[in-house]
């Protein structure tokens, strides 16, 4: 190799490179490849001269012409593409030689492993299966849509949770990991750092937040200090340039006072003959303050404070145990918990709900309406538009003579919901699934939709046969269907059906089963559809 001396800088002389460094400047790759020993040279000359050491006479033969470019199809690849045909004996010998390899039995090219040598004699692996057949006791529907609730699933998931901690290292979110330290001794109550001084009065926080000297420590010019006091606000104080706050009266507020206009966008969109409702506008303002208080209480509720604690405090001051307290006492108790009351808007609202009467408040009812876990209060609907102005004809309706007004009061807001809460809940039939009635809406199964019955063509589903109905409806349905039942038999069947359903009412399917059980009169063959 050519010398690499003085070509590189060795910045880490402690690290030695692999191999031996070359110092010969004339050495190169070509010279290294052409370096032959004397023995190799003599053997090469003997092979070229075709000399035999046993014979003294040298034999010279010309070398064959090895130019393969003009050889045509007679090349070295021909015996590979056209091998000689082997005899049966040669083929058998080659196959016997290959049986010693593992791939001949276990890894056959293009085939699977041959399991027959490891199986009992006469066993067909394509027909016989091993293991225990699984018990399919649950359907796919129960697995996808189980009848268990969320809390039941969470409860069952915690059964045996301690065993999964050890085997699978499975912990719940936020759960402390127990590593079972033995040596050295581990104290779970030990904390790092220095114990801080704590006083429930909060005096140390006050000392930390209060400066020992309010005046600035640095020495500045008095004219500059007075200028900064006039033009810049201090920490925790509002900006009052030139000490203008001292010249203004107490509780002075800057800006233009907000005055609510009598006619806003809502009033302008209505008829000019309809005056604005002052009570509705005041009620909206009261509800705004009430929702602000309710949100404040919801954020304040924690482990240290609950509404039950406030109720116990109010019960202590209610010496007569009458459920009411004076407003002054109620406000003083709430001030201990730092409740922000807008008395101007909350008192008229509580008087409207009859919670405040004669300067006394029913504190239990007040705690119920501000509790976010309970249902919100239901207010009355305000009819601020006169009845003669509620129904009118527009110019487009008058032009097309569209005088028919459809009453959509009892209709759903937007279409029919998937879960019909507006209809009575049907009973679950024997052997049926409650999920079909509660979570799948009015749609039947796929088989019924592909092959509908006569009831489905008339708009009836199987749920209509399980809806509880009263006595008059059941009797009229069966009479229109063609049954003739006297009063005595009907009363007997009705009582047995009530004992079967146990809901106080009876569904059509149950009454039909009872009717077939007692062999009532046969149904008419022809029924006038108009009478139904």
């Amino acid at each position: 190799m050519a010398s690499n001396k003085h070509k590189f800088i060795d910045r880490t002389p402690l690290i030695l490179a692999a191999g031996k460094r070359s110092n010969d400047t004339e050495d190169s790759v070509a010279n290294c490849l052409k370096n032959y020993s004397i023995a190799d040279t003599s053997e090469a000359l003997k092979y070229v001269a075709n000399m035999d050491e046993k014979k003294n006479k040298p034999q010279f033969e010309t070398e064959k012409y090895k130019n393969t470019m003009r050889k045509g199809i007679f090349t070295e690849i021909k015996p590979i593409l056209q091998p000689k045909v082997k005899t049966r004996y040669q083929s058998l010998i080659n196959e016997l030689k290959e049986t010693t390899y593992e791939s001949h039995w276990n890894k056959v090219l293009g085939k699977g492993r041959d399991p027959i040598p490891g199986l009992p004699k006469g066993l067909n692996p394509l027909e016989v299966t091993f293991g225990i057949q699984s018990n399919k006791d649950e359907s796919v529907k129960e697995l996808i849509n189980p009848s268990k609730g969320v809390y039941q699933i969470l409860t069952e998931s915690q059964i045996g949770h301690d065993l999964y901690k050890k085997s699978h290292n499975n912990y719940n979110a936020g759960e402390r990991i127990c590593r079972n330290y033995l040596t050295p001794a581990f104290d779970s109550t030990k904390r790092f750092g220095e114990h801080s001084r704590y006083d429930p009065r909060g005096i140390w926080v006050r000392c930390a937040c209060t400066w020992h000297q309010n005046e600035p420590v640095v020495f500045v010019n008095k004219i500059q200090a007075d200028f900064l006091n006039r033009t810049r606000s201090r920490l925790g104080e509002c900006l009052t340039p030139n000490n203008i706050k001292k010249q203004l009266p107490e509780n002075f507020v800057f800006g233009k006072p907000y005055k609510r206009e009598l006619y806003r966008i809502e009033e302008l969109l209505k008829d000019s003959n309809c005056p604005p409702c002052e009570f509705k506008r005041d009620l909206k303002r009261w509800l705004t303050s009430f929702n602000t208080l309710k949100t404040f209480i919801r954020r304040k509720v924690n482990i240290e404070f609950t509404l039950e604690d406030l109720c116990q405090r109010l019960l202590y001051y209610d010496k007569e145990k009458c459920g009411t307290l004076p407003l002054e006492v109620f406000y003083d108790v709430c001030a201990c918990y730092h409740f922000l009351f807008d008395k101007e808007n909350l008192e008229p609202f509580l008087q409207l709900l009859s919670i405040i009467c004669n300067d006394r408040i029913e504190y239990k009812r007040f705690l119920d309406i501000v509790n976010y876990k309970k249902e919100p209060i239901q207010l009355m609907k305000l009819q601020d538009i006169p009845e003669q102005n509620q129904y009118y004809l527009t110019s487009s309706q008058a032009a097309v003579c569209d005088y028919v007004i459809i009453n959509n009061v009892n209709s759903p807001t937007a279409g029919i919901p998937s879960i019909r809460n507006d209809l009575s809940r049907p009973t679950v039939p024997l052997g049926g699934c409650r999920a079909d009635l509660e979570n799948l809406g009015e749609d039947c199964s796929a088989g019924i939709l592909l092959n509908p019955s006569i009831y489905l063509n008339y708009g009836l589903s199987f749920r209509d046969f399980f809806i509880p109905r009263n006595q008059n409806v059941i009797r009229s349905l069966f009479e229109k269907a063609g049954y003739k039942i006297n009063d005595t038999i009907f009363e007997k069947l009705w009582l047995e059906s009530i004992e079967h359903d146990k809901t106080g009412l009876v569904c059509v399917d149950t009454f039909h089963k009872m009717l077939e059980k007692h062999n009532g009169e046969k149904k008419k063959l022809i029924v006038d559809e108009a009478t139904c």
Side-chain angles (χ1 to χ4, degrees):
M1 293 289 181
S3 176
N4 54 8
K5 191 175 182 180
H6 303 297
K7 291 184 179 181
F8 302 98
I9 300 176
D10 190 3
R11 302 185 183 275
T12 54
L14 298 177
I15 301 176
L16 301 178
K20 184 179 180 182
R21 187 174 61 181
S22 60
N23 295 322
D24 190 3
T25 57
E26 297 180 357
D27 197 2
S28 63
V29 177
N31 295 334
C32 291
L33 296 177
K34 293 180 180 179
N35 187 11
Y36 301 108
S37 62
I38 298 174
D40 294 336
T41 304
S42 61
E43 290 291 332
L45 293 175
K46 290 178 181 180
Y47 178 79
V48 173
N50 195 9
M51 294 176 58
D52 190 3
E53 294 180 356
K54 296 180 180 180
K55 297 180 181 180
N56 296 327
K57 296 181 181 181
Q59 296 178 1
F60 295 96
E61 293 182 0
T62 59
E63 187 177 1
K64 294 183 180 181
Y65 184 72
K66 295 183 178 181
N67 187 3
T68 59
M69 295 177 63
R70 301 182 179 275
K71 220 172 186 182
I73 62 173
F74 301 99
T75 58
E76 287 82 358
I77 200 171
K78 180 181 178 180
I80 299 176
L81 296 177
Q82 296 179 356
K84 295 181 180 180
V85 180
K86 296 181 181 180
T87 61
R88 292 184 179 182
Y89 179 75
Q90 292 176 347
S91 300
L92 180 62
I93 294 299
N94 291 335
E95 290 181 358
L96 291 176
K97 289 180 180 180
E98 291 181 356
T99 54
T100 58
Y101 298 103
E102 182 183 1
S103 60
H104 180 78
W105 304 100
N106 298 334
K107 299 179 182 179
V108 184
L109 183 61
K111 297 181 181 179
R113 182 174 179 177
D114 187 9
I116 296 177
L119 297 177
K121 186 177 181 180
L123 183 63
N124 188 1
L126 301 178
E127 297 179 357
V128 180
T129 57
F130 297 93
I132 301 174
Q133 186 178 5
S134 60
N135 186 14
K136 301 179 181 179
D137 54 346
E138 293 187 3
S139 61
V140 179
K141 177 183 175 183
E142 289 291 334
L143 295 175
I144 297 176
N145 190 11
S147 58
K148 299 180 181 179
V150 179
Y151 295 100
Q152 185 178 358
I153 294 175
L154 293 176
T155 304
E156 293 178 356
S157 63
Q158 296 301 320
I159 298 175
H161 179 64
D162 296 336
L163 301 177
Y164 281 95
K165 291 181 182 178
K166 185 176 182 181
S167 60
H168 294 75
N169 197 19
N170 183 18
Y171 291 87
N172 294 327
E175 185 178 358
R176 186 175 182 180
I177 300 176
C178 181
R179 305 186 186 279
N180 298 323
Y181 292 136
L182 298 178
T183 54
F186 176 71
D187 186 7
S188 60
T189 60
K190 188 176 180 180
R191 300 292 184 271
F192 297 97
E194 185 179 2
H195 182 70
S196 61
R197 294 181 295 175
Y198 169 73
D199 195 314
R201 296 174 296 173
I203 58 176
W204 300 113
V205 179
R206 183 179 61 185
C207 294
C209 296
T210 305
W211 293 99
H212 67 283
Q213 186 178 0
N214 293 329
E215 297 294 333
V217 179
V218 296
F219 291 95
V220 296
N221 191 357
K222 186 176 183 305
I223 299 175
Q224 182 182 2
D226 295 341
F227 174 76
L228 295 177
N229 291 332
R230 288 196 313 269
T231 57
R232 296 185 182 180
S233 61
R234 295 186 179 183
L235 182 64
E237 297 181 0
C238 62
L239 179 60
T240 54
N242 300 324
N243 294 329
I244 193 174
K245 190 175 181 180
K246 296 181 180 179
Q247 303 176 8
L248 297 174
E250 190 177 359
N251 297 329
F252 182 82
V253 180
F254 293 92
K256 183 179 180 180
Y258 174 71
K259 183 180 179 181
R260 194 168 189 178
E261 299 293 339
L262 183 62
Y263 290 94
R264 299 188 303 155
I265 298 177
E266 182 180 358
E267 286 77 11
L268 294 175
L269 292 175
K270 297 178 182 178
D271 193 358
S272 59
N273 298 327
C274 301
C277 183
E278 297 288 342
F279 176 74
K280 184 177 181 180
R281 186 165 57 178
D282 295 339
L283 181 61
K284 290 181 179 180
R285 187 175 69 255
W286 299 344
L287 288 175
T288 302
S289 300
F290 176 74
N291 292 332
T292 303
L293 175 63
K294 193 173 181 179
T295 305
F296 174 77
I297 294 176
R298 181 177 180 178
R299 294 177 179 176
K300 190 174 180 63
V301 171
N302 49 26
I303 300 177
E304 299 179 357
F305 166 74
T306 58
L307 292 176
E308 187 65 25
D309 299 338
L310 179 59
C311 184
Q312 295 296 331
R313 178 71 68 87
L314 295 173
L315 281 172
Y316 174 77
Y317 288 100
D318 187 8
K319 304 297 182 181
E320 300 177 357
K321 306 301 179 183
C322 60
T324 59
L325 283 176
L327 286 177
E328 297 180 357
V329 178
F330 178 75
Y331 288 149
D332 293 340
V333 174
C334 293
C336 299
Y337 297 98
H338 305 286
F339 282 1
L340 303 177
F341 274 93
D342 188 1
K343 299 180 181 179
E344 183 180 357
N345 295 327
L346 288 178
E347 287 187 1
F349 180 68
L350 297 178
Q351 290 176 1
L352 177 65
L353 300 176
S354 301
I355 296 177
I356 294 179
C357 295
N358 300 326
D359 294 337
R360 297 183 69 86
I361 183 172
E362 298 182 14
Y363 51 88
K364 290 186 178 180
R365 289 185 58 191
F366 173 78
L367 295 178
D368 289 340
I369 63 174
V370 299
N371 191 356
Y372 65 93
K373 295 183 179 179
K374 296 185 178 181
E375 295 183 358
I377 56 178
Q378 301 293 334
L379 299 177
M380 58 183 179
K381 184 178 180 180
L382 298 178
Q383 297 292 346
D384 54 335
I385 302 177
E387 187 176 358
Q388 61 272 13
N389 295 334
Q390 292 182 4
Y391 305 100
Y392 57 89
L393 294 176
T394 61
S395 58
S396 60
Q397 289 178 343
V400 298
C401 299
D402 190 6
Y403 298 144
V404 181
I405 299 176
I406 301 174
N407 187 11
N408 296 325
V409 176
N410 298 326
S411 300
T413 305
I416 299 176
S418 59
I419 300 177
R420 297 301 299 272
N421 295 325
D422 54 339
L423 301 177
S424 57
R425 187 181 298 276
T427 58
V428 181
L430 184 63
C433 181
R434 186 177 295 275
D436 293 340
L437 303 176
E438 293 182 353
N439 301 327
L440 299 181
E442 288 187 333
D443 296 334
C444 302
S445 61
I448 297 177
L449 294 176
L450 295 175
N451 188 15
S453 62
I454 187 173
Y455 303 107
L456 194 63
N457 292 331
Y458 279 92
L460 296 175
S461 64
F462 69 95
R463 294 178 178 82
D464 297 323
F465 292 91
F466 297 101
I467 296 177
R469 306 178 189 274
N470 55 23
Q471 186 174 2
N472 297 330
V473 175
I474 291 292
R475 184 159 191 170
S476 62
L477 287 175
F478 279 87
E479 287 180 354
K480 291 179 179 180
Y483 290 95
K484 291 182 179 180
I485 310 172
N486 55 21
D487 298 339
T488 305
I489 297 177
F490 183 80
E491 290 294 334
K492 183 179 179 181
L493 296 176
W494 178 262
L495 295 176
E496 292 181 2
S497 301
I498 288 179
E499 292 179 0
H500 183 271
D501 285 353
K502 298 180 182 180
T503 58
L505 300 175
V506 177
C507 63
V508 176
D509 184 74
T510 302
F511 193 83
H512 185 262
K513 291 180 180 179
M514 295 298 173
L515 190 60
E516 291 180 351
K517 180 179 178 181
H518 288 273
N519 296 324
E521 294 186 6
K522 294 183 178 180
K523 184 180 177 181
K524 291 182 179 180
L525 296 178
I526 300 175
V527 180
D528 189 4
E529 189 176 355
T531 59
C532 298

